[in-house]
Amino acid sequence: MALQRVRSPELEHDVGRTPNLGYEPAGTYGFVRFLEHGFPNPLVRWHYHEEYELHLIVATRGKVFVGDYIGQFEPGHLVLTGPRLPHNWISTEVPEGGVALRDMVLQFADAPLRQAAAQIPELAEALPLLERARYGIEFFGLSERMRERITRVKQLHGLQRFAEFTELLGELAGSNDYRLLSTVQLQSFDDDAALARISGIVDFLTEHYSENFSMADLCARLDMTESSFSRYFRRATGNSYTDFVNRLRINKACQLLMETDRYITNVCYDVGFNNVANFNRRFLQIKGMTPKEFRRQSEARFGQVTNG
């Protein structure tokens, strides 16, 4: 099991000049930039940038990372991230050959909008939304309308594009059906090599979280001391190594509890825990309820689970 090599944040700017990746090249757009791409794609990695990003998933399911938040996504997943907030969407359920279009994205800068809001009172209505976005916001019930609006932004230019964008922004600012994702505003890495390294670590843990290896094993692979790795990992993800792996495992356990009828004891071992008491304790700590209560609530909301 080798850690994946991940290219630097400059990759995003480099591939922006490649039309088939769905990026609008610099100079062809104004304040609002449209992006889209399929999966797999070299841009799918732990990263951050200076712009706000409205990210709509249209195909595949998988794991989402926003700051210190770890969760699941599926088509219709709609998230707004703020400047320098690390994020990544890793598709884990993908048809053979991948998908041509996985997500639709809008990016826009912070300073011009705030400067304009100081002169145009109507734009100031969006400022509370921008503050919330520093933690990442997941919206509910807006996916279809946002897809229509993002598509129109893609098709429009100049003042018409900006007018459509302000309507979109107003709809997001007026929504009360949302949740904040990250519990902290992480201090992102300024060093490209460090960011690439943590991206490789996150990808590795996402793939191998259920296997029995320790932080010492991972440190040996990275040629780092455990104390250095602990500081480095917490700065990048907002979690200790143990908490991060536990979150990944509990996230997978939730999926199994919702989608299968496997015994809770079996789910415990499936996701990498070797002690049922520890599994129950960690589940309660992270989800605020026991695995049994979680399954009962899921059945009440989504219906009887399928045979797993």
Side-chain angles (χ1 to χ4, degrees):
M1 298 182 293
L3 288 175
Q4 179 183 359
R5 287 181 60 85
V6 182
R7 284 178 277 182
S8 76
E10 292 305 313
L11 172 64
E12 183 157 344
H13 302 291
D14 293 340
V15 300
R17 296 189 290 268
T18 306
N20 63 1
L21 285 178
Y23 271 56
E24 294 180 320
T28 65
Y29 60 93
F31 175 66
V32 183
R33 185 190 196 190
F34 171 79
L35 309 81
E36 64 182 21
H37 52 69
F39 188 89
N41 187 286
L43 295 178
V44 177
R45 72 204 190 287
W46 175 266
H47 71 291
Y48 67 88
H49 38 70
E50 297 294 340
E51 299 84 6
Y52 292 91
E53 180 171 291
L54 182 65
H55 196 113
L56 174 64
I57 294 288
V58 299
T60 76
R61 289 173 168 78
K63 290 185 172 63
V64 55
F65 302 84
V66 176
D68 68 349
Y69 171 78
I70 302 170
Q72 293 177 253
F73 70 82
E74 61 183 9
H77 183 76
L78 180 68
V79 169
L80 178 66
T81 57
R84 302 183 68 82
L85 179 64
H87 53 271
N88 193 12
W89 282 260
I90 300 177
S91 294
T92 55
E93 298 181 26
V94 185
E96 186 175 353
V99 293
L101 178 62
R102 186 188 76 157
D103 42 47
M104 303 173 69
V105 177
L106 295 181
Q107 290 183 346
F108 55 97
D110 181 65
L113 198 56
R114 291 184 182 275
Q115 292 165 4
Q119 303 297 322
I120 304 174
E122 290 82 358
L123 287 176
E125 293 178 9
L127 295 182
L129 173 73
L130 301 186
E131 291 304 314
R132 293 194 295 271
R134 297 186 181 279
Y135 297 90
I137 312 169
E138 181 180 2
F139 296 93
F140 304 98
L142 291 179
S143 299
E144 289 303 317
R145 291 203 299 279
M146 285 299 112
R147 182 167 185 173
E148 293 171 1
R149 288 198 180 280
I150 293 171
T151 299
R152 286 198 291 271
V153 169
K154 174 185 178 181
Q155 296 167 345
L156 296 172
H157 301 279
L159 190 58
Q160 287 184 319
R161 171 180 277 205
F162 185 71
E164 182 65 38
F165 168 74
T166 57
E167 289 194 27
L168 176 154
L169 197 65
E171 192 162 358
L172 294 178
S175 173
N176 293 316
D177 196 2
Y178 67 84
R179 63 172 170 170
L180 302 184
L181 299 180
S182 182
T183 62
V184 295
Q185 298 182 43
L186 300 186
Q187 297 298 310
S188 304
F189 288 102
D190 294 318
D191 177 70
D192 289 356
L195 185 60
R197 190 180 220 188
I198 197 64
S199 180
I201 294 169
V202 169
D203 288 349
F204 177 83
L205 293 177
T206 301
E207 183 176 354
H208 300 289
Y209 65 89
S210 64
E211 299 174 19
N212 186 21
F213 59 88
S214 65
M215 186 174 76
D217 296 329
L218 190 57
C219 290
R221 294 176 182 276
L222 296 167
D223 194 25
M224 296 179 70
T225 65
E226 291 188 40
S227 59
S228 295
F229 175 82
S230 293
R231 292 192 300 271
Y232 177 83
F233 192 81
R234 182 178 287 278
R235 180 190 172 195
T237 69
N239 287 271
S240 70
Y241 166 81
T242 299
D243 287 345
F244 189 88
V245 172
N246 283 336
R247 283 174 179 263
L248 284 173
R249 289 172 171 172
I250 295 302
N251 176 257
K252 180 61 177 180
C254 289
Q255 183 180 353
L256 293 176
L257 290 168
M258 287 190 295
E259 298 178 358
T260 78
D261 60 1
R262 290 182 64 75
Y263 289 116
I264 291 174
T265 301
N266 291 340
V267 169
C268 162
Y269 296 113
D270 287 343
V271 300
F273 286 96
N274 55 16
N275 181 295
V276 175
N278 185 40
F279 169 67
N280 287 330
R281 182 168 60 252
R282 296 295 184 183
F283 198 102
L284 179 62
Q285 177 185 33
I286 293 170
K287 304 305 294 186
M289 64 186 76
T290 66
K292 185 176 181 179
E293 290 169 337
F294 180 88
R295 172 169 272 173
R296 186 184 301 118
Q297 286 193 14
S298 298
E299 289 176 356
R301 182 175 180 183
F302 302 111
Q304 188 66 32
V305 296
T306 58
N307 187 23

